[in-house]
Amino acid sequence: MSDSAVFSKHRPTHPEIAARFPDLHPPFDKQSATVESNRCLYCFDAPCTTACPTHIDVPGFIKKIASGNLAGSARTILDANILGASCSRACPVQVLCEGACVMHRYNKQPIQIARLQRFAMDALHQSGAALPFAPGPDTGRSVALIGAGPASLACAAELRRRGIRAIIYETRPLPGGLNTYGVAEYKLPLVESLREIEMLSGLGIDFHFNERVDREMLVHLEREHDAVFLGVGLGAIHQLGIAGDQLAGVTNALDFIAGYKSGAILTVPQRVAVIGAGNTAIDAANAARRLGATSVHMVYRRGPEKMSAFAFEYEHSKQEGVQFLWHVQPIGIRGSKTVEALNLIQLAAAVDDSLIPLPGSELELPVDLVILAIGQATHSAFLAEAGSAAKIAFDGGRIVIDRATGQTSHPKFFAGGDCTNGGREVVDAVADGKRAGIGIAAWLEVQHGRQ
Ligand SMILES: Cc1cc2nc3c(=O)[nH]c(=O)nc-3n(C[C@H](O)[C@H](O)[C@H](O)COP(=O)(O)OP(=O)(O)OC[C@H]3O[C@@H](n4cnc5c(N)ncnc54)[C@H](O)[C@@H]3O)c2cc1C
Ligand code: SF4
């Protein structure tokens, strides 16, 4: 049975969370959006469109804002990117569309593409209009999608537009994957992610929540459906594997972020250490500051030049008041019942770039909460044992796909998003899901002929 109605009542954001995580980039009002849209040069062969993984016709949607055709603008966005609303809030545009804007060549501010995109999408949501697409005529074919993250949602939308049934199975009680549970609340509030998916579900996607697909179920789904799409994302955060890492007061960034976004975590203790230096670590550190920690240290084995977080995210976290401890490695966590201190040792880089602990350089950082953000595991083990899915090829834990169609080495299985690219951005997962939806439809047509 479908659970589509489960998320139809939007979960109101906890007032405490709403107050602490206001919009990082406030929306445009009508006048500002009109002024900004008129700055666009409407380039032919627009580099912003090329730089967008979903290839939204950026000049096209901006021109429609300039002429007051907001519904047409939203349609142009959605035609290329069915999660255009969440992407307008979550995309790291500095390294995508806005980074490619020709205005940079003239030493001018790039066009604020994401804020304009949000303006058009917000207008559509506020108008109460339905998604401007209808499901295609029924083909009698069906596809099971594992995971309700951006990759599966984008794939499901393409399938439904082609008259193919899309049935999504999701472990969690709500859809959206990391869009709902991971992206920082000051970028994409949980409630906005749900609002967007609710509109999308108008295409007739079937959702089954609280349903973890295990090996046996995957075998069953393969038998029951014409194809299977794997949009399972990445797995749990790695453990540290040092003394004390099971103490109360040690958590991981995914649980921590999902906890505050859903209103289950409203405050943190005074002193927090975040271990890692990627974008997830930054998000956790910033959130800890906003939830009341007076001292938040990010702890990393190398220097700032090696951190995997975007440079603009690093700058942002400094403004949030996060402090950094470089070239140190945790060697233990001290505490009786709960965490009291993080034990660290300084590291030096050898000629071959390996890291060597410096004897006698141990130090102790008093902390009340330790948040691990040292990378996520993959789901390769689960898939490698699931019946004929075991034939799916992996490379370094990532599912290998044909990038044009999303097809894996097992013809009936397709995949996209973080489980295939090792963890990138929402817009990459949407682009993958879209390609796979089109790829599945084309493959089914070859297998069964046009319906
Ligand atoms: C903390 C954090 C912050 C981020 N912030 C940003 C950001 O600001 N901007 C940006 O563009 N990107 C951001 N990203 C990256 C972005 O969220 C991901 O790239 C994107 O969500 C990947 O989509 P996906 O569909 O591949 O996977 P996911 O979003 O991870 O969705 C996978 C879904 O599959 C479900 N699932 C897994 N296994 C099973 C199973 N066996 N049975 C049923 N369901 C299953 C999971 O519960 C999950 O809901 C962030 C990532 C993290 C971790
Ligand atoms: S989806 Fe993201 S990358 Fe693409 S145009 Fe919109 S904001 Fe830019």
Side-chain angles (χ1 to χ4, degrees):
M1 201 190 78
S2 170
D3 292 340
S4 297
V6 168
F7 60 93
S8 63
K9 289 192 197 90
H10 295 132
R11 307 247 161 141
T13 308
H14 193 288
E16 188 77 18
I17 296 300
R20 288 178 185 266
F21 293 83
D23 264 337
L24 200 57
H25 304 292
F28 273 140
D29 58 27
K30 189 165 184 295
Q31 193 188 358
S32 316
T34 308
V35 170
E36 185 66 5
S37 60
N38 277 305
R39 270 202 329 121
C40 183
L41 302 179
Y42 309 122
C43 305
F44 182 71
D45 275 346
C48 47
T49 293
T50 309
C52 168
T54 56
H55 304 309
I56 290 180
D57 174 5
V58 175
F61 91 73
I62 292 182
K63 201 171 220 166
K64 287 176 183 147
I65 293 177
S67 67
N69 177 7
L70 293 186
S73 179
R75 193 192 162 103
T76 300
I77 294 163
L78 288 166
D79 208 21
N81 183 332
I82 203 75
L83 297 187
S86 52
C87 284
S88 74
R89 293 161 176 266
C91 275
V93 286
Q94 295 86 333
V95 297
L96 293 171
C97 54
E98 293 182 19
C101 179
V102 293
M103 290 292 189
H104 289 289
R105 286 188 217 156
Y106 309 117
N107 281 329
K108 292 193 174 159
Q109 284 295 313
I111 303 299
Q112 296 184 59
I113 298 168
R115 284 179 84 190
L116 287 170
Q117 183 170 317
R118 176 175 168 186
F119 179 73
M121 295 309 306
D122 282 354
L124 182 74
H125 285 179
Q126 282 153 18
S127 74
L131 196 70
F133 310 117
D138 186 22
T139 61
R141 305 282 158 213
S142 71
V143 175
L145 301 99
I146 322 301
S152 287
L153 292 169
C155 181
E158 292 300 335
L159 294 170
R160 292 301 301 132
R161 290 177 75 181
R162 288 163 178 76
I164 299 167
R165 274 191 71 203
I167 304 105
I168 294 186
Y169 296 86
E170 168 58 52
T171 309
R172 292 193 183 256
L174 292 171
L178 291 168
N179 250 11
T180 299
Y181 289 102
V183 177
E185 187 76 6
Y186 48 65
K187 289 188 201 168
L188 177 59
L190 180 144
V191 68
E192 291 300 330
S193 169
L194 297 182
R195 199 191 308 280
E196 177 175 49
I197 301 165
E198 189 157 276
M199 176 178 264
L200 176 60
S201 69
L203 279 172
I205 299 167
D206 288 328
F207 287 96
H208 296 261
F209 299 119
N210 302 304
E211 186 103 47
R212 197 180 93 70
V213 175
D214 58 13
R215 284 174 231 159
E216 289 71 32
M217 187 161 170
L218 194 57
V219 172
H220 169 76
L221 293 177
E222 181 192 350
R223 207 171 39 234
E224 294 294 307
H225 296 278
D226 296 290
V228 177
F229 177 78
L230 303 166
V232 290
L234 292 174
I237 297 255
H238 295 302
Q239 290 289 318
L240 262 183
I242 58 174
D245 68 358
Q246 302 300 321
L247 279 169
V250 181
T251 186
N252 72 74
L254 292 184
D255 288 349
F256 172 65
I257 293 169
Y260 91 76
K261 279 183 69 91
S262 59
I265 296 174
L266 296 177
T267 56
V268 294
Q270 291 293 298
R271 301 164 306 177
V272 177
V274 179
I275 301 175
N279 292 312
T280 298
I282 296 250
D283 283 355
N286 291 350
R289 283 284 296 147
R290 287 177 180 235
L291 291 168
T294 48
S295 131
V296 177
H297 283 93
M298 277 180 63
V299 171
Y300 182 45
R301 293 180 307 151
R302 295 183 180 271
E305 72 289 349
K306 297 269 187 185
M307 70 194 297
S308 59
F310 292 124
F312 66 87
E313 293 285 17
Y314 173 40
E315 289 306 318
H316 175 214
S317 65
K318 286 195 273 188
Q319 285 162 23
E320 297 271 345
V322 175
Q323 296 166 278
F324 295 83
L325 281 172
W326 306 114
H327 305 290
V328 288
Q329 178 176 321
I331 50 173
I333 301 173
R334 186 175 61 72
S336 49
K337 286 203 179 102
T338 63
V339 170
E340 291 167 20
L342 182 62
N343 295 117
L344 302 161
I345 190 162
Q346 284 180 356
L347 300 170
V351 193
D352 66 355
D353 208 31
S354 62
L355 295 172
I356 309 163
L358 293 173
S361 68
E362 293 83 358
L363 57 136
E364 193 172 81
L365 181 70
V367 288
D368 312 301
L369 177 68
V370 175
I371 303 173
L372 306 182
I374 49 175
Q376 290 175 255
T378 64
H379 290 295
S380 49
F382 143 68
L383 289 168
E385 293 169 10
S388 78
K391 292 185 197 139
I392 294 171
F394 286 90
D395 180 11
R398 302 172 192 189
I399 301 173
V400 176
I401 53 167
D402 174 337
R403 298 270 7 140
T405 63
Q407 196 164 33
T408 70
S409 52
H410 186 312
K412 203 170 173 180
F413 286 86
F414 292 71
D418 280 3
C419 63
T420 61
N421 62 31
R424 295 183 65 139
E425 312 305 325
V426 175
V427 68
D428 295 294
V430 174
D432 276 2
K434 176 174 127 181
R435 272 192 296 267
I438 297 167
I440 293 170
W443 182 72
L444 290 179
E445 209 173 296
V446 171
Q447 301 302 302
H448 306 284
R450 193 180 284 277
Q451 299 297 304

